[in-house]
Amino acid sequence: MATVKFEAQEIELTEGESVLECLERSGHPIPNSCRSGVCHSCLMRATAGELPPAAQKGLKDSHRAQGYFLSCCCYPDTDLSAVRVDADSMRIGARVLRKESLNERVLRVVLEANEPLDYFPGQFVNFARADGLVRSFSLASVPALDDGLEFHVALVPGGKMSGWLHHEAVPGDDLELMGPLGNCFYVPGNPEQPLFLLGTGTGLAPLYAIARDALHQGHTGAIHLFHGALVAADRYLVEALSALAQDHANFGYHPCVRDEAGADWVQGEVDAHALELVPNLKGWKVYLCGNPTLVRNVQRKAFLAGASMQDIYADAFLPAGG
Amino acid sequence: MSGLYDAIGGEPAVNAAVDIFYRHVLSDDRIAHFFDGVDMERQAQKQKAFLTMAFGGPHNYTGLDMRKGHAHLVKQGLNDSHFDAVVEHLSITLTELNVDQKHIDQVMAIAESTREDVLGRSTEPDAETANV
């Protein structure tokens, strides 16, 4: 019989036993509820081995790509190494490589990790400073195109991590990274599917990564990136995104500024403009990042505009508590 | 019970139905406000569990779950007219998916059986133990 490797133990599966049952039998309680593949509370991640398709039924393709599976429906034929999802975060050392201002409020921070970080562009990592302060930031870089790990850090009034990064951190300073986490990234395999990317503020960071990753991987379908700002000065990476649009006929960059009129952008709410331009999202893959209220609203609007639930990736930037 | 689930098409049918059903529900002004501010992904998982149950598939729902899960909505005024609207969308969804009327009727009967619990009106004080 196949074995399950879990927390330094190797447990042999008995006839007809699921991974969940096997771990419970050996004294490892795994959160679970419906035990029929519906509620997803027994989600785990495989780090080695082959997953039977039934163990990943109903999961998003980005989760599948990362080896997530439902332990209650997992009856492996061969050996499998599995980890808990909540404990599944590695911590690696990193140091500040450079800092660069993108606009008055947003800083580009490039880090160098002590060991290669295996990530999908658009995922996020947690920064942990030596004193225990932890904050999440999205990866704006693409491993195949960039050497460092790029993040866009908005200066938050009273924000401890953003204040430190903006005002005090200097190249060479140490940080620890946890992750990567999140499922907001480009999944190859469907190069013709049109992509709808919408974000506000530094929600642009993951979208910038996803757009560049998709283009780099030869995506041929339309890619529309909508970036919402309150005032014109809140926009950033305008030149880089305009250049990307120049170089790729299938990429469109649509900056929207709510409170100012101008020739280089559309004035108004970013979601209203985006859904006016693309009123029917049937068959589209949708990525939404940034302000949580906006993300939630547009998630529903995109669904009602025809996008399938499986094709909507929402990354709400929740404010840190305390 | 599983005869019905298999006849409708099992899990692929549930997956096909979730998007259609949820889109109908969210487009209906009579009931859409009950979904304001909810996490759509988690909600879709719940819809899937509900449809699995209504299709006669494997589930662990109890009357108590139904009551707990809807208690906050009953406080907001959830009543028979809203329940009727949801059931109506379920029927329309199944018709769109070309499910036989005979099977639609069976699904409707299962959905109907949850009415008293969803609306927090247990006819029998110990009804919650009936599913155990």
Side-chain angles (χ1 to χ4, degrees), chain A residues 33-40 57-58 60 183 296 299-310 312-314, chain B residues 11-12 15 18-20 22-23 26-27 32-33 35-41 44-45 48-49 52 58-60:
Chain A
S33 176
C34 79
R35 304 178 79 95
S36 50
V38 175
C39 74
H40 289 204
K57 233 175 170 186
K60 288 196 168 195
N183 59 7
R296 209 159 261 192
Q299 191 181 23
R300 185 193 277 208
K301 286 179 187 171
F303 176 65
L304 291 176
S308 163
M309 189 72 70
Q310 296 271 329
I312 303 176
Y313 295 83
Chain B
E11 194 188 340
N15 288 335
V18 167
D19 263 24
I20 300 172
Y22 197 15
R23 199 169 273 126
L26 285 181
S27 304
H33 62 277
F35 298 90
D36 283 347
V38 304
D39 181 326
M40 278 188 67
E41 281 188 43
Q45 280 305 321
K48 195 176 160 185
T52 302
H59 74 93
N60 263 354

Side-chain angles (χ1 to χ4, degrees), chain B residues 2-132:
Chain B
S2 69
L4 173 64
Y5 188 60
D6 292 339
I8 295 176
E11 194 188 340
V14 171
N15 288 335
V18 167
D19 263 24
I20 300 172
F21 174 63
Y22 197 15
R23 199 169 273 126
H24 279 307
V25 166
L26 285 181
S27 304
D28 184 340
D29 290 340
R30 293 174 293 176
I31 46 180
H33 62 277
F34 288 112
F35 298 90
D36 283 347
V38 304
D39 181 326
M40 278 188 67
E41 281 188 43
R42 288 182 57 185
Q43 188 61 34
Q45 280 305 321
K46 289 183 193 166
Q47 303 273 10
K48 195 176 160 185
F50 167 69
L51 292 179
T52 302
M53 181 204 69
F55 290 8
H59 74 93
N60 263 354
Y61 266 130
T62 64
L64 186 62
D65 292 334
M66 281 286 177
R67 254 178 294 161
K68 274 188 185 163
H70 294 91
H72 64 294
L73 299 176
V74 171
K75 275 189 198 147
Q76 291 172 38
L78 188 79
N79 62 36
D80 282 298
S81 73
H82 306 121
F83 188 92
D84 291 342
V86 171
V87 168
E88 181 188 316
H89 290 304
L90 182 56
S91 172
I92 293 168
T93 300
L94 293 169
T95 306
E96 280 179 35
L97 289 170
N98 296 318
V99 173
D100 286 353
Q101 189 57 46
K102 177 182 79 180
H103 295 131
I104 295 180
D105 292 343
Q106 291 177 42
V107 171
M108 288 299 114
I110 296 174
E112 186 59 44
S113 73
T114 67
R115 181 188 293 264
E116 299 304 305
D117 280 320
V118 166
L119 296 177
R121 294 188 304 233
S122 241
T123 44
E124 293 168 44
D126 62 344
E128 69 203 58
T129 59
N131 289 292
V132 175

Side-chain angles (χ1 to χ4, degrees), chain A residues 15-148:
Chain A
E15 183 72 41
E17 194 178 39
S18 70
V19 170
L20 175 63
E21 288 159 348
C22 169
L23 292 174
E24 286 177 328
R25 172 171 59 81
S26 52
H28 301 288
I30 303 294
N32 70 85
S33 176
C34 79
R35 304 178 79 95
S36 50
V38 175
C39 74
H40 289 204
S41 40
C42 67
L43 194 71
M44 296 183 73
R45 197 166 81 90
T47 52
E50 211 172 307
L51 286 167
Q56 295 188 300
K57 233 175 170 186
L59 297 182
K60 288 196 168 195
D61 38 14
S62 62
H63 276 144
R64 275 190 207 133
Q66 292 175 92
Y68 285 97
F69 70 98
L70 302 171
S71 56
C72 72
C73 300
C74 186
Y75 300 88
D77 299 322
T78 51
D79 293 356
L80 191 73
S81 299
V83 293
R84 290 179 195 272
V85 170
D86 52 359
D88 176 29
S89 58
M90 50 175 186
R91 242 174 142 108
I92 64 169
R95 88 194 63 76
V96 177
L97 211 54
R98 55 181 187 273
K99 290 169 41 170
E100 180 193 333
S101 173
L102 290 170
N103 69 22
E104 282 174 21
R105 272 184 65 244
V106 178
L107 186 72
R108 170 186 264 153
V109 177
V110 180
L111 304 183
E112 185 182 42
N114 293 341
E115 50 189 283
L117 182 74
D118 190 12
Y119 70 95
F120 295 103
Q123 284 191 294
F124 66 91
V125 296
N126 292 318
F127 285 22
R129 208 173 55 180
D131 62 358
L133 185 67
V134 177
R135 293 288 183 270
S136 304
F137 295 97
S138 290
L139 284 146
S141 47
V142 178
L145 303 174
D146 309 300
D147 16 300

Side-chain angles (χ1 to χ4, degrees), chain A residues 53-318:
Chain A
Q56 295 188 300
K57 233 175 170 186
L59 297 182
K60 288 196 168 195
D61 38 14
S62 62
H63 276 144
R64 275 190 207 133
Q66 292 175 92
Y68 285 97
F69 70 98
L70 302 171
S71 56
C72 72
C73 300
C74 186
Y75 300 88
D77 299 322
T78 51
D79 293 356
L80 191 73
S81 299
V83 293
R84 290 179 195 272
V85 170
D86 52 359
D88 176 29
S89 58
M90 50 175 186
R91 242 174 142 108
I92 64 169
R95 88 194 63 76
V96 177
L97 211 54
R98 55 181 187 273
K99 290 169 41 170
E100 180 193 333
S101 173
L102 290 170
N103 69 22
E104 282 174 21
R105 272 184 65 244
V106 178
L107 186 72
R108 170 186 264 153
V109 177
V110 180
L111 304 183
E112 185 182 42
N114 293 341
E115 50 189 283
L117 182 74
D118 190 12
Y119 70 95
F120 295 103
Q123 284 191 294
F124 66 91
V125 296
N126 292 318
F127 285 22
R129 208 173 55 180
D131 62 358
L133 185 67
V134 177
R135 293 288 183 270
S136 304
F137 295 97
S138 290
L139 284 146
S141 47
V142 178
L145 303 174
D146 309 300
D147 16 300
L149 305 171
E150 176 178 329
F151 304 90
H152 301 163
V153 181
L155 182 60
V156 178
K160 289 178 202 157
M161 185 66 87
S162 71
W164 177 72
L165 287 165
H166 273 255
H167 303 308
E168 293 171 49
V170 293
D173 279 356
D174 288 321
L175 277 169
E176 280 197 317
L177 304 180
M178 291 179 281
L181 301 160
N183 59 7
C184 199
F185 56 82
Y186 179 70
V187 181
N190 199 352
E192 284 163 21
Q193 184 174 29
L195 310 181
F196 179 98
L197 316 178
L198 184 147
T200 56
T202 50
L204 182 59
L207 301 180
Y208 179 61
I210 291 163
R212 288 170 72 229
D213 189 28
L215 290 169
H216 175 72
Q217 298 206 41
H219 195 82
T220 54
I223 305 174
H224 286 286
L225 191 159
F226 300 89
H227 186 218
L230 297 181
V231 293
D234 286 346
R235 293 169 308 143
Y236 68 92
L237 290 177
V238 174
E239 276 178 32
L241 288 163
S242 303
L244 210 58
Q246 285 272 313
D247 293 346
H248 299 274
N250 61 329
F251 178 71
Y253 166 51
H254 311 277
C256 297
V257 177
R258 200 188 67 183
D259 298 337
E260 271 181 68
D264 298 334
W265 60 84
V266 171
Q267 187 183 1
E269 301 284 354
V270 62
D271 52 333
H273 173 59
L275 288 166
E276 195 181 298
L277 211 74
V278 191
N280 185 352
L281 286 170
K282 195 170 162 65
W284 287 63
K285 191 154 272 194
V286 175
Y287 295 89
L288 309 168
C289 306
N291 178 290
T293 310
L294 179 104
V295 163
R296 209 159 261 192
N297 286 341
V298 182
Q299 191 181 23
R300 185 193 277 208
K301 286 179 187 171
F303 176 65
L304 291 176
S308 163
M309 189 72 70
Q310 296 271 329
D311 279 333
I312 303 176
Y313 295 83
D315 189 358
F317 288 11
L318 300 167

